Amino acid sequence: MKGVFDIDDYRAKAKKRLPAMVFDYLEGAADDESGLDHNRAAFHRWEFCPRRLVDVSAREQQTRLLGKSLPTPLVIAPTGLNGAFWPKGDLALAKAAAGAGIPFALSTASNMSIEEVAREVQGDLWFQLYVVHKNLAKSFVERAWAAEYSTLILTTDVAVNGFRKRDLRNGFAMPFRTSVRAACDGLTHPKWLWSYLTNGMPQLRNFATDTTSDTAAQAAVLRREMDAGFDWDDLKRLRDAWPGKLLVKGILTSADATRCIEAGADGVILSNHGARQHAGLPVPANVIAAVRDAVPASDLIVDSGVRTGADVVKAIALGANAVMLGRATLYGLAANGEAGVADVLAMIRRDIDRTLALIGCPAISALTRDFVAERPLMAAGR
Ligand SMILES: Cc1cc2nc3c(=O)[nH]c(=O)nc-3n(C[C@H](O)[C@H](O)[C@H](O)COP(=O)(O)O)c2cc1C
């Protein structure tokens, strides 16, 4: 895209194209939103310890995740209501991921169904489960397996909805509420409005079958009100019910990571949900090393605040196997659909490559913890 060089540029384009209430939904965080800054600051906290006179004439990003080879240590995170950002947004993300050879995780709150995405995409598909109630969860799990999703993500950090002031102030809801303010918001963003009018209102398509057309459950997903009683015994039952790979998302302590692995999970996703649930939670980037020490043989994915290839390299050096991209790829989606997502992925890959060259590391697989160190306090910040 013309004039776009980094994720911040894509963010600006996304902000311009989307009505304010939709951009606020994409961008917003919980409470005073300080978690957004903390998530970014945690990556700035680390600096590289470069090695010189190393042959870096060829660089390799290939890595292994959940027993498979990946061309680059990236996964597209599950995000709900992608259809609000771009028509068939789930498909655009899934296709861009497949084009880059990386997994795409479809949210329970997607606007295309488990089956619709599987029919149209050849790549590695993961399904993210919100447990609203256990019968519905059982049906989603069976459908995801029947549609050949390889991996199930159980999201554990949404026992209740976070306090998101932007969404409350905007009255953000699906279907969009008609108000003078919302109408003005739409009319001042004609490109978005046109695609919205020609493609129709995004629906929660996973709920559109006979067994799942449960309007109370749909409303609960939209309000992010999950089964707050879901516990470790339920995780074990889920493990027994799902034959594929299982990841638990929202983990932030070594003790919980250890328990997940003991319960049969294949790995954990260190995440504070992009600071969208509570501002006071730990920052995933700060706990990678400790969790890696606690579960040395398990797959570890990190998200929340990843915006550059350098962030990815730092996360891997600290012990992660891969990172998940949330808002970064959504900015690309909102700005320019599948092409925007593909471009964001290419940008991050180029930045990983450049970073490897400049720190004297020829391969992602050769990164170790001593490639990073905490910045001295004087130099902290950007
Ligand atoms: C608009 C939006 C919607 C999201 N919806 C979901 C969801 O449906 N399920 C889920 O597990 N996480 C959801 N997340 C959290 C992401 O999976 C991921 O943890 C987060 O975006 C990572 O932080 P980042 O945006 O700073 O990269 C959502 C995030 C955003 C920005």
Side-chain angles (χ1 to χ4, degrees):
M1 232 183 161
K2 211 169 158 233
V4 172
F5 298 98
D6 64 9
I7 304 297
D8 279 346
D9 291 337
Y10 264 114
R11 180 181 174 279
K13 294 269 183 207
K15 189 170 184 186
K16 200 165 165 213
R17 183 178 162 273
L18 295 177
M21 75 152 73
V22 180
F23 182 76
D24 278 348
Y25 162 68
L26 190 169
E27 183 81 343
D31 309 312
D32 61 4
E33 299 202 334
S34 57
L36 287 173
D37 291 338
H38 290 306
N39 283 350
R40 287 300 301 133
F43 284 105
H44 294 309
R45 187 185 138 210
W46 298 98
E47 62 185 14
F48 291 109
C49 306
R51 295 184 191 170
R52 298 304 179 213
L53 301 171
V54 174
D55 179 358
V56 286
S57 50
R59 277 95 52 192
E60 182 52 71
Q61 293 186 29
Q62 197 165 316
T63 189
R64 286 192 76 72
L65 186 67
L66 297 172
K68 288 185 194 165
S69 168
L70 269 192
T72 186
L74 302 173
V75 175
I76 295 191
T79 51
L81 309 187
N82 292 328
F85 308 128
W86 195 267
K88 297 192 175 178
D90 297 302
L91 201 56
L93 287 160
K95 283 189 169 170
I102 63 167
F104 162 73
L106 184 75
S107 165
T108 295
S110 57
N111 297 128
M112 292 188 70
S113 72
I114 295 171
E115 294 79 7
E116 284 167 334
V117 173
R119 262 197 302 276
E120 297 202 42
V121 179
Q122 296 305 317
D124 187 7
L125 293 175
W126 297 5
F127 180 69
Q128 174 267 325
L129 181 68
Y130 275 142
V131 179
V132 181
H133 59 73
K134 287 172 192 134
N135 284 346
L136 193 59
K138 187 169 174 287
S139 150
F140 284 149
V141 165
E142 286 167 1
R143 284 171 57 191
W145 185 245
E148 299 185 3
Y149 283 60
S150 70
T151 303
L152 184 71
I153 297 176
L154 173 73
T155 296
T156 56
D157 53 8
V158 185
V160 297
N161 198 8
F163 176 73
R164 297 189 202 157
K165 203 161 84 181
R166 295 196 208 199
D167 290 350
L168 293 170
R169 194 192 287 128
N170 294 332
F172 181 80
M174 284 271 171
F176 296 123
R177 291 193 194 130
T178 39
S179 67
V180 175
R181 192 169 157 204
C184 291
D185 205 1
L187 287 169
T188 48
H189 296 87
K191 283 188 187 153
W192 179 89
L193 186 64
W194 179 249
S195 67
Y196 174 67
L197 291 175
T198 47
N199 290 281
M201 174 79 68
Q203 309 284 334
L204 290 183
R205 301 277 297 166
N206 284 327
F207 295 80
T209 68
D210 287 350
T211 46
T212 58
S213 58
D214 174 343
T215 44
Q218 290 192 44
V221 164
L222 289 172
R223 288 195 305 270
R224 288 170 289 271
E225 282 167 7
M226 305 304 156
D227 177 353
F230 195 95
D231 63 11
W232 292 102
D233 290 334
D234 293 311
L235 174 62
K236 285 186 193 134
R237 279 190 277 276
L238 184 68
R239 172 66 289 182
D240 292 341
W242 172 255
K245 299 287 185 187
L246 177 66
L247 297 171
V248 185
K249 177 168 183 273
I251 297 303
L252 288 165
T253 65
S254 301
D256 273 0
T258 307
R259 242 181 131 176
C260 288
I261 302 305
E262 284 168 3
D266 296 285
V268 296
I269 302 172
L270 301 176
S271 171
N272 64 18
H273 215 106
R276 290 164 80 81
Q277 286 300 98
H278 201 289
L281 292 172
V283 172
N286 286 340
V287 301
I288 303 171
V291 176
R292 168 49 72 216
D293 291 343
V295 290
S298 303
D299 278 304
L300 214 58
I301 299 176
V302 177
D303 77 20
S304 301
V306 178
R307 300 288 182 272
T308 69
D311 299 339
V312 178
V313 173
K314 287 176 186 177
I316 306 294
L318 288 164
N321 298 82
V323 307
M324 287 208 316
L325 302 169
R327 292 184 187 81
T329 30
L330 289 184
Y331 295 143
L333 176 71
N336 200 23
E338 182 185 335
V341 181
D343 198 26
V344 163
L345 293 174
M347 262 179 194
I348 292 182
R349 289 177 77 163
R350 279 197 301 274
D351 195 27
I352 294 174
D353 182 66
R354 184 171 39 242
T355 302
L356 290 175
L358 293 176
I359 67 172
C361 181
I364 278 283
S365 58
L367 281 167
T368 49
R369 215 174 279 178
D370 48 10
F371 269 103
V372 289
E374 282 198 51
R375 269 190 197 280
L377 263 185
M378 287 294 285
R382 295 188 71 146

